[in-house]
Amino acid sequence: MKSSSASMIIALSVTAVVVGGLLAGFYHLVHPRIEENRIAEERMAIFAVLQGAENYDIIEKEIAGARGKKEAVRIFKGIDKEGKTVGYAFIAEGPGFQGVIKMMVGLNIGSKKLSGMNVLEQVETPGLGNKITEERFTSQFKNLSIEPKIEYIKNKKPEKPNQIQAITGATISSKAVVNGVNNRMKLILDILSPKMKIKEG
Amino acid sequence: MAPSQKTYFEEFKKGILHENPVAVMLLGICSSLAVTNTVKNSLAMGLAVVFVTVASSALVSLVRKFVPGEVRIATYIVIISGFVTLADLFFKAFFPGISKTLGPYVPLIVVNCIIMARAEVHASKYPVISSIADAVGMGVGYTWVLLAVGTVREILGFGSIFGFTILSEKVFNPWIVMILPPGAFITLGLLIGLINYIKSRKHRISL
């Protein structure tokens, strides 16, 4: 049995239009909720790395990115009850063992210290690399000195105020976090306080 | 069009064991291996597949007389991907945590051959209710296999079930291999072996 082209075109078009309409309607219905979830997640991550923050402002800045393209950088300014700035949070990324690791970092410019770090997204090996999400690893970033930059050290307790201990057997993941934070932090510091002096190692 | 010779219950039942899509037909293995490291993920994935299979089988069966044979596959794909996107948006809106852990595997239901197979083998040839019974059976068949694999992997890999610790880390050292892909292959392989063994024994008795 051979069908005419017209019947084929009609059948496909009708299906596409009906399914498309259904999707558009459903998207319209749930989109506010999806957006809410995203913002709630962002809020939680920001408040987790900025102690004492009650609210935050978003600072957007365009910088020259790769291949001449403009890149938008978002910095979250944490504000406490009295309206004072408690610190800045930003999102950093680093290439992990299997995929990109994304983290939220809290920064205190006055004391030149990090106020916290939380992993937002990662696909590291379960049982090894994914330990970067654990308290034992992330808590090391609290009050970590950023001078001259943060560093990791293997298999022993950190000696300097700017060092964290890498996870045994997962140096690549630990390194990705440290390098990701360092790279982004440099840029954030350039934007927020270009005159600030960081001691060179 | 010859009406289905089987009752609706028989249409439903065949997907559970005898024509089980994962354990017997070995379809949809990719997602079964990828998401079954915890019971919760297995259940969410199973339910998503049940929904998509049932909804698309019903719709394919409804339009089966209007769709020309030459473009039927394209039509199925549009219908299936529509329902998959619906399921994906639903998870994102109401279960963001699950949506995050399942990652790309929900959108990938589009290319899950179980659903395509049901559309082509059953829904395009049989009336709506029979197609729904068939799809529910296949979906439940997929889900229980995922749950079985997920239960074994979560207990051995995390020492927990549904996120509740049942084997404390003090007495039990979790087997990391069970969380990783090899654990999925081993568990599913053993399960298929077990099902084949049971089937062959039944067969011998009936002879």
Side-chain angles (χ1 to χ4, degrees):
Chain A
M1 189 180 76
K2 223 171 137 58
S3 316
S4 69
S5 306
S7 72
M8 287 190 239
I9 292 169
I10 292 168
L12 268 180
S13 311
V14 170
T15 319
V17 168
V18 170
V19 172
L22 190 74
L23 277 185
F26 191 71
Y27 181 78
H28 195 71
L29 211 70
V30 298
H31 184 248
R33 260 200 96 107
I34 295 175
E35 199 55 17
E36 246 170 62
N37 289 339
R38 199 187 56 77
I39 292 170
E41 200 183 344
E42 195 176 85
R43 274 182 90 87
M44 269 191 29
I46 292 168
F47 293 159
V49 296
L50 293 178
Q51 288 80 31
E54 293 274 315
N55 211 338
Y56 65 92
D57 282 338
I58 300 174
I59 305 168
E60 288 215 25
K61 187 109 184 166
E62 277 205 339
I63 54 149
R67 277 174 259 126
K69 269 194 203 150
K70 287 239 169 88
E71 195 192 329
V73 180
R74 300 211 304 160
I75 305 172
F76 309 100
K77 184 164 98 171
I79 302 164
D80 69 1
K81 265 183 261 165
E82 283 107 49
K84 275 194 294 193
T85 305
V86 294
Y88 295 88
F90 58 92
I91 293 169
E93 284 182 6
F97 191 59
Q98 293 179 44
V100 174
I101 304 172
K102 247 180 147 176
M103 48 249 157
M104 181 68 82
V105 186
L107 175 65
N108 193 321
I109 294 191
S111 66
K112 296 183 185 174
K113 276 180 178 167
L114 295 185
S115 55
M117 190 282 291
N118 257 343
V119 176
L120 299 175
E121 279 171 28
Q122 56 88 21
V123 284
E124 300 304 287
T125 318
L128 284 173
N130 80 344
K131 284 189 182 157
I132 55 169
T133 60
E134 285 176 10
E135 174 81 26
R136 230 176 352 159
F137 182 72
T138 57
S139 63
Q140 300 186 87
F141 287 81
K142 200 170 168 181
N143 292 327
L144 187 68
S145 171
I146 58 170
E147 281 187 304
K149 63 177 186 182
I150 63 171
E151 285 169 1
Y152 62 92
I153 183 165
K154 278 195 249 180
N155 301 330
K156 53 180 176 182
K157 286 259 168 287
E159 290 148 1
K160 295 185 199 150
N162 64 332
Q163 284 179 335
I164 59 137
Q165 187 181 350
I167 295 161
T168 313
T171 315
I172 295 178
S173 309
S174 313
K175 189 175 150 185
V177 172
V178 167
N179 288 350
V181 171
N182 275 329
N183 291 343
R184 204 60 174 176
M185 192 165 60
K186 222 174 128 191
L187 190 109
I188 301 293
L189 287 174
D190 275 348
I191 294 172
L192 290 175
S193 62
K195 286 187 208 107
M196 182 171 142
K197 287 256 185 325
I198 289 271
K199 263 192 298 190
E200 294 293 326
Chain B
M1 191 77 49
S4 169
Q5 298 299 311
K6 292 179 183 156
T7 65
Y8 298 142
F9 182 68
E10 280 169 335
E11 292 292 4
F12 167 75
K13 211 179 70 178
K14 69 181 189 307
I16 308 295
L17 197 66
H18 277 270
E19 289 180 30
N20 187 291
V22 187
V24 177
M25 294 197 268
L26 300 184
L27 297 176
I29 294 292
C30 166
S31 60
S32 332
L33 294 174
V35 302
T36 51
N37 54 10
T38 64
V39 180
K40 206 167 114 191
N41 291 351
S42 308
L43 184 65
M45 187 67 183
L47 293 180
V49 168
V50 171
F51 164 73
V52 176
T53 318
V54 172
S56 49
S57 276
L59 196 58
V60 165
S61 169
L62 260 179
V63 300
R64 71 187 190 282
K65 285 179 186 151
F66 310 106
V67 176
E70 290 90 337
V71 292
R72 66 182 196 285
I73 302 282
T75 319
Y76 302 160
I77 291 179
V78 174
I79 291 172
I80 294 168
S81 48
F83 285 117
V84 169
T85 315
L86 222 63
D88 190 32
L89 286 172
F90 177 79
F91 277 129
K92 276 198 180 121
F94 299 100
F95 301 98
I98 291 180
S99 165
K100 236 178 159 177
T101 44
L102 290 183
Y105 291 100
V106 174
L108 277 177
I109 297 174
V110 174
V111 288
N112 189 317
C113 25
I114 297 171
I115 299 161
M116 200 60 170
R118 284 354 278 170
E120 175 72 6
V121 174
H122 200 100
S124 61
K125 298 185 180 72
Y126 294 93
V128 177
I129 298 177
S130 159
S131 299
I132 291 177
D134 170 75
V136 174
M138 288 295 161
V140 173
Y142 176 82
T143 309
W144 86 252
V145 172
L146 256 67
L147 280 177
V149 176
T151 308
V152 173
R153 290 181 69 192
E154 187 173 344
I155 292 174
L156 295 177
F158 291 102
S160 67
I161 187 159
F162 251 106
F164 298 110
T165 309
I166 51 165
L167 293 167
S168 146
E169 284 206 22
K170 285 181 199 111
V171 293
F172 174 75
N173 200 2
W175 304 2
I176 288 166
V177 66
M178 292 313 280
I179 311 170
L180 299 174
F185 279 104
I186 294 166
T187 315
L188 187 63
L190 289 175
L191 182 69
I192 292 170
L194 182 70
I195 289 176
N196 284 345
Y197 174 69
I198 293 171
K199 275 170 73 179
S200 72
R201 263 187 35 168
K202 253 191 181 168
H203 189 64
R204 227 176 291 149
I205 292 164
S206 66
L207 280 176

